[in-house]
Amino acid sequence: MDIELHAGPGGDFEMADGDANHSVEQMKDKATHRKGRGFVDNSRNTRDGVGPGDRLDDDAAATSQARLQPVRSVEGYIIFINNLHEETTEENIMDAFQEYGIIKNLHLNQDRRTGFIKGYALIEYESFREAEDAVSKMNGKEMLGLPLHVTWAFVKSNKP
């Protein structure tokens, strides 16, 4: 069943007369069996029934977080800070996080077009203890009116 479209008098496309008897449902059904717009792929092999982009409920997220272990990067332990206000500066972050240990590296991405930061930062600590203190004590604290989300940047699963 091929559908032919012809340009109508106003420049709009119209179906050929032979296709007028096909319902919209039939055309939608045909479109979903092809790749492209409307294609649904149920054949993906997903682990635990969760695929990319699926939202986890709080219990599943807590369980999956319990299985994750922080991993040392090349020079130390890196934490990820999210939900930063767009006007946050390096000084704000340094003041808040240096009480947990010596910060070896701080990376704060800035949007070149707007000049504001992109909303996240990476901080590297020398020791696991310093990074762990920063994660546990700063997660949920407010900075410039927004609650921070602080977690490990690199983790590996503890799952067998």
Side-chain angles (χ1 to χ4, degrees):
M1 164 174 80
D2 290 333
I3 298 173
E4 294 182 29
L5 298 176
H6 302 283
D12 296 332
F13 286 97
E14 300 173 350
M15 288 190 297
D17 289 336
D19 295 326
N21 60 352
H22 296 293
S23 72
V24 174
E25 270 61 7
Q26 288 173 332
M27 288 187 274
K28 283 183 183 178
D29 187 47
K30 183 178 177 184
T32 58
H33 293 317
R34 297 184 193 161
K35 288 197 171 193
R37 187 172 180 173
F39 177 70
V40 178
D41 184 8
N42 292 328
S43 65
R44 288 186 184 164
N45 185 8
T46 59
R47 186 175 35 139
D48 299 331
V50 178
D54 288 345
R55 177 160 260 209
L56 299 174
D57 60 354
D58 291 338
D59 293 336
T63 305
S64 66
Q65 286 292 342
R67 290 183 255 162
L68 302 177
Q69 295 294 322
V71 178
R72 180 176 171 85
S73 70
V74 176
E75 296 181 12
Y77 290 89
I78 299 176
I79 62 173
F80 183 77
I81 301 115
N82 196 8
N83 201 33
L84 289 171
H85 189 275
E86 62 187 9
E87 294 180 1
T88 304
T89 63
E90 285 186 10
E91 291 80 27
N92 296 130
I93 295 172
M94 289 291 280
D95 290 342
F97 285 87
Q98 70 184 358
E99 70 181 74
Y100 303 106
I102 297 170
I103 295 175
K104 290 182 62 175
N105 195 3
L106 168 64
H107 183 78
L108 188 64
N109 266 352
Q110 188 176 29
D111 188 346
R112 291 184 206 164
R113 187 174 49 87
T114 64
F116 293 119
I117 68 158
K118 291 189 175 181
Y120 68 92
L122 296 160
I123 295 179
E124 182 178 356
Y125 288 101
E126 176 80 38
S127 73
F128 174 78
R129 172 86 61 219
E130 294 170 341
E132 184 179 40
D133 285 346
V135 169
S136 65
K137 294 178 182 169
M138 288 300 293
N139 190 30
K141 291 261 179 128
E142 283 196 13
M143 180 181 289
L144 298 177
L146 294 176
L148 299 178
H149 302 285
V150 184
T151 187
W152 297 99
F154 301 107
V155 294
K156 72 175 181 176
S157 177
N158 194 359
K159 211 164 115 174

